[in-house]
Amino acid sequence: MSAPLLSARDVGKRFGGRIACRDVSFDLWPGEVLGIVGESGSGKTTLLNCLAGRLVPDSGSVTYETRSAGSVDVHRLSEARRRLLARTEWGFVNQDAREGLRMGVSAGANIGERLMAVGARHYGEIRGQAADWMARVEIDIERLDDRPTSYSGGMRQRLQIARNLVSRPRLVFMDEPTGGLDVSVQARILDLLRGLVEGLHLSVVLVTHDLGVARLLTHRLMVMQGGSVVEQGLTDQVLDDPQHPYTQMLVSSILPV
Amino acid sequence: MPDTTIRDTSSQDAAYNYAYLDEQTKRMIRRAILKAVAVPGYQVPFGGREMPLPYGWGTGGIQVTAALIGRDDTLKVIDQGADDTTNAVSIRRFFARVAQVATTTHTGEATIIQTRHRVPETPLTDGQILVFQVPIPEPLRMLEPRETETRTLHALSEYGVMQVSLYESIARHGRIAKTYNYPVMVNGRYIMSPSPIPKFDNPKLDRSPALQLYGAGREKRIYAVPPHTPVKSLDFDDHPFEIETWTECCALCGSTESFLDEMIVDDTGKRLFVCSDTDYCESRR
């Protein structure tokens, strides 16, 4: 391993007088899954948006190691290059699939959009790839021409994952990918994600409030409270032997089944 | 050509400035037109004025024409290819009155042709100007409702979403089912709405020797395709762009090469196909 894929240095963001996150630093290595956990309002999503170039942080920097152009400062890139990066090398999975999908067009068109955005102009090939990805995320290929409005919540989330992965990104940002889904659907999606992450050697930054999800998917964990990272380390280490009082509280508040 | 000199107005309707609009407004519109010509396919905002006809009846086209017209111009106005519909007749009479121009129905004689929803069948020539009336200038509007976002997409040439709409059409209908207002790529840079002309007319826009100006009155946008500019209709490699074809010929002139309108002529459902371009049809009879 030569260089980290993504590194954040002292990233901070405030909304008026309210501090959303401050002094967040970490390195994400290729193939690594980093979890960001914490309660609602702890700045997880703001941090994710800063990392993904959707929000401009007030302080600090985010550097990304591109496939061909070396390392770039995400927030110093021109808007055109940042958007290109976001739709070729990155993916972003929203909690609410409706935000990440085009609900008015078929599943095939949703998956094919990124391909067409980078210049694919052969209908048969685009459709073939869309069908291939439908199969990989375990959606019935019969539903290829159906709109996501007719899909269940779990299927929409799978479709959103397929739509992001079709362009072979190296880094995927996920904001509560299993939030709002029932437990059995959650389990299948987690299974699917784990397979895809390993198979495609993806790096992932995963925001979640669910420690079970973090335990299953992530290699490393950052615990946030009030905008600051209070503890970070290997997932098992953090969850089995929490050091910070807040983390201890978080771990002990998991309901035993 | 633009006429800016102040003349004796005794021969015209003295209540109005020449060609209805005041000179400052005409200057502003001409500047927008110059910018539009300099950046083919780019939508230039302009300060659209109230015109003496409702939005949707050609307020954009009529303002562009008013800014261009001069005493030695000859004006032709068509509506769906016809010279004799209410809209066409009214606009022609309007300019005959406020600008004292000669009017014609013959495509070859006109210097300015204002059109709604058609390009004449007779090939246009150098020096002619075709003025389109445009209801919705933004080709991405139905796909992306936010104006800030569509502007960004144009600026960055991010046109994947346009292709998505064509994909969707093939997935649903087995072919690209859009038959009018078919999106085009101008000069390899901007995607443009050619106004609701049938896709039959799209090939006529490509490298046309005439200047094409598009005016949208409600949306207050002007855009242009300068003469001899490449205009490509979007498509897929395995679903190439095709124009409409008919098995019939025109019942009046026998043309097999023009755009035909289907007309139901009696209560028993008898139907006829006739040229939509009345001037072309009459010249062949």
Side-chain angles (χ1 to χ4, degrees), chain A residues 79-80 83 87 102 104-106 108-109 113 116-117 120-124 126-127 130 145 147, chain B residues 143-144 149 152-153 156 158-161 163-165 167-168 170-172 235-239:
Chain A
E79 191 182 1
R83 288 172 71 121
R87 67 171 188 269
R102 279 186 197 282
V105 299
S106 67
E113 178 169 354
M116 291 184 255
R121 290 292 179 267
H122 192 283
Y123 175 79
I126 295 166
R127 194 174 164 80
D145 292 333
R147 293 185 184 186
Chain B
L143 310 160
E144 174 53 67
E149 184 65 13
T152 310
L153 294 179
L156 302 179
E158 271 183 30
Y159 290 133
V161 56
Q163 210 71 23
V164 167
S165 75
Y167 174 100
E168 188 63 9
I170 301 176
R172 193 153 306 162
D235 59 4
F236 284 98
D237 295 345
D238 47 347
H239 285 266

